[in-house]
Amino acid sequence: MQLFPSFLYRIWNSPVPSTVIYVVLVSGIFSKVANLFPSIVTGSVITTIGLTLIPVAIGNMGNNVPEPTGQSLLLAAITVLIILLINIFTKGFIKSISILIGLVVGTAIAASMGLVDFSPVTAAPLVHVPTPLYFGMPTFEISSIVMMCIIATVSMVESTGVYLALSDITKDPIDSTRLRNGYRAEGLAVLLGGIFNTFPYTGFSQNVGLVKLSGIKTRLPIYYAAGFLVLLGLLPKFGALAQIIPSPVLGGAMLVMFGFVSIQGMQILARVDFANNEHNFLIAAVSIAAGVGLNNSNLFVSMPTAFQMFFSNGIVVASLLAIVLNAVLNHKKK
């Protein structure tokens, strides 16, 4: 059984090696943008990350349908309430896994209401070992390669904002070398994704909120989690458990996480000197407004596909605008 349609394979797997080469080659140059991200830029980008993700949470809270039911809204509200109560009245380990507890309890409540579909768990095999290059050896198509390189560039811009957000949350400084290593790690993940017949991997903005909310700021738990996820990948029944989480429950957890990301960006902006530099108002206002407004917008639907990819991604738009406006308006300050 194919893991995804063959046409997606042709679009994705054929340019994988070339995309990885591209990411590795440009990562050193791209990493030099670290000095273009002062607090006004970083704060604007991180705020935009949170604000552009909140509509995703709201959509899930309403079960992604035009007319949400009362049950969906109730489940989402219960999940949010559980997470809030755990964060208020508990400490330590329990507090750090408040999102997980909210998801588990919310799903259990949904199951008691008959709103959980267990068919994905039933249908999943007990053990499955992925077959490398299941669809055959990659082929090379120049149009697909160019398109994937454009997508990789967009991804690196977005990942830069994610890295800087994590740096601010963990209070661990980031420089051009660490940015370069991050881009190359993503390139390696893309290569592994192509080999094992799946989609590309990149830094997900959603996880910034999880780091902030859990308070876990070291990499060691990530290593354990990675090994655990690899094991679950060989046991599809366990992996299928993630599929049975109702969208309203997931949306409730997302709302809390993405709200934290937005506030993190605002905290950075609070450290910016607005009183003595009115240009900072313009930089933050224009970049955040454009990033939130243009995210997933159909404003550029008549434009070429590559143009749409760049300017329909709110995080990319906010990053580019904040960098350019800061370079132009604050050039005397540097």
Side-chain angles (χ1 to χ4, degrees), residues 31 74 133 153 331:
S31 63
L74 179 62
L133 300 175
T153 303
H331 66 282

Side-chain angles (χ1 to χ4, degrees), residues 319-333:
S319 299
L320 294 178
L321 277 176
I323 291 173
V324 172
L325 289 175
N326 179 67
V328 173
L329 298 179
N330 287 336
H331 66 282
K332 293 183 179 179
K333 298 284 183 179

Side-chain angles (χ1 to χ4, degrees), residues 197-311:
N197 323 298
T198 185
F199 292 107
Y201 299 97
T202 182
F204 283 88
S205 310
Q206 295 88 330
N207 290 331
V208 176
L210 190 59
V211 172
K212 176 65 175 177
L213 192 57
S214 67
I216 298 174
K217 301 177 181 180
T218 61
R219 285 176 287 183
L220 185 59
I222 304 299
Y223 301 147
Y224 288 114
F228 185 64
L229 290 173
V230 170
L231 178 62
L232 291 184
L234 303 176
L235 304 172
K237 283 193 179 295
F238 287 94
L241 290 174
Q243 299 180 42
I244 69 173
I245 301 175
S247 292
V249 174
L250 194 60
M254 286 179 171
L255 184 70
V256 180
M257 290 193 299
F258 301 161
F260 266 95
V261 177
S262 301
I263 298 301
Q264 183 69 29
M266 295 176 189
Q267 285 181 329
I268 298 174
L269 289 176
R271 301 196 293 264
V272 175
D273 182 12
F274 289 104
N276 299 313
N277 186 0
E278 62 181 15
H279 290 161
N280 285 332
F281 276 106
L282 292 174
I283 297 168
V286 173
S287 58
I288 293 174
V292 174
L294 295 178
N295 190 60
N296 295 324
S297 169
N298 60 358
L299 191 63
F300 303 108
V301 69
S302 61
M303 299 294 183
T305 303
F307 191 91
Q308 293 181 48
M309 286 183 179
F310 270 97
F311 293 98

Side-chain angles (χ1 to χ4, degrees), residues 17-329:
S18 300
T19 306
V20 174
I21 293 172
Y22 168 79
V23 171
V24 171
L25 289 178
V26 304
S27 60
I29 300 173
F30 209 82
S31 63
K32 303 302 180 184
V33 302
N35 61 348
L36 298 178
F37 281 82
S39 295
I40 181 62
V41 175
T42 305
S44 299
V45 172
I46 296 174
T47 302
T48 303
I49 290 175
L51 295 179
T52 54
L53 290 173
I54 288 174
V56 178
I58 300 299
N60 278 280
M61 290 174 68
N63 210 22
N64 294 307
V65 296
E67 298 181 3
T69 64
Q71 287 179 323
S72 296
L73 300 179
L74 179 62
L75 276 177
I78 290 174
T79 303
V80 172
L81 181 61
I82 292 170
I83 295 172
L84 290 178
L85 290 176
I86 293 173
N87 275 275
I88 293 172
F89 295 107
T90 66
K91 297 180 180 179
F93 176 72
I94 298 298
K95 183 177 179 179
S96 69
I97 61 170
S98 59
I99 294 293
L100 177 61
I101 295 175
L103 292 174
V104 171
V105 175
T107 301
I109 295 173
S112 69
M113 300 167 62
L115 300 178
V116 177
D117 179 15
F118 290 95
S119 59
V121 180
T122 305
L126 185 60
V127 178
H128 173 73
V129 179
T131 303
L133 300 175
Y134 178 82
F135 297 99
M137 295 298 293
T139 58
F140 296 88
E141 301 170 2
I142 185 62
S143 59
S144 298
I145 291 172
V146 171
M147 181 60 67
M148 290 305 299
C149 287
I150 293 173
I151 294 172
T153 303
V154 174
S155 176
M156 284 192 289
V157 173
E158 183 173 357
S159 294
T160 302
V162 174
Y163 297 159
L164 292 169
L166 291 174
S167 174
D168 186 79
I169 292 173
T170 60
K171 308 303 178 186
D172 188 2
I174 192 169
D175 56 17
S176 60
T177 300
R178 298 187 71 181
L179 284 174
R180 181 201 63 198
N181 294 341
Y183 302 140
R184 290 181 177 176
E186 290 193 13
L188 177 60
V190 168
L191 178 62
L192 292 175
I195 292 174
F196 289 102
N197 323 298
T198 185
F199 292 107
Y201 299 97
T202 182
F204 283 88
S205 310
Q206 295 88 330
N207 290 331
V208 176
L210 190 59
V211 172
K212 176 65 175 177
L213 192 57
S214 67
I216 298 174
K217 301 177 181 180
T218 61
R219 285 176 287 183
L220 185 59
I222 304 299
Y223 301 147
Y224 288 114
F228 185 64
L229 290 173
V230 170
L231 178 62
L232 291 184
L234 303 176
L235 304 172
K237 283 193 179 295
F238 287 94
L241 290 174
Q243 299 180 42
I244 69 173
I245 301 175
S247 292
V249 174
L250 194 60
M254 286 179 171
L255 184 70
V256 180
M257 290 193 299
F258 301 161
F260 266 95
V261 177
S262 301
I263 298 301
Q264 183 69 29
M266 295 176 189
Q267 285 181 329
I268 298 174
L269 289 176
R271 301 196 293 264
V272 175
D273 182 12
F274 289 104
N276 299 313
N277 186 0
E278 62 181 15
H279 290 161
N280 285 332
F281 276 106
L282 292 174
I283 297 168
V286 173
S287 58
I288 293 174
V292 174
L294 295 178
N295 190 60
N296 295 324
S297 169
N298 60 358
L299 191 63
F300 303 108
V301 69
S302 61
M303 299 294 183
T305 303
F307 191 91
Q308 293 181 48
M309 286 183 179
F310 270 97
F311 293 98
S312 293
N313 185 317
I315 299 173
V316 172
V317 171
S319 299
L320 294 178
L321 277 176
I323 291 173
V324 172
L325 289 175
N326 179 67
V328 173
L329 298 179

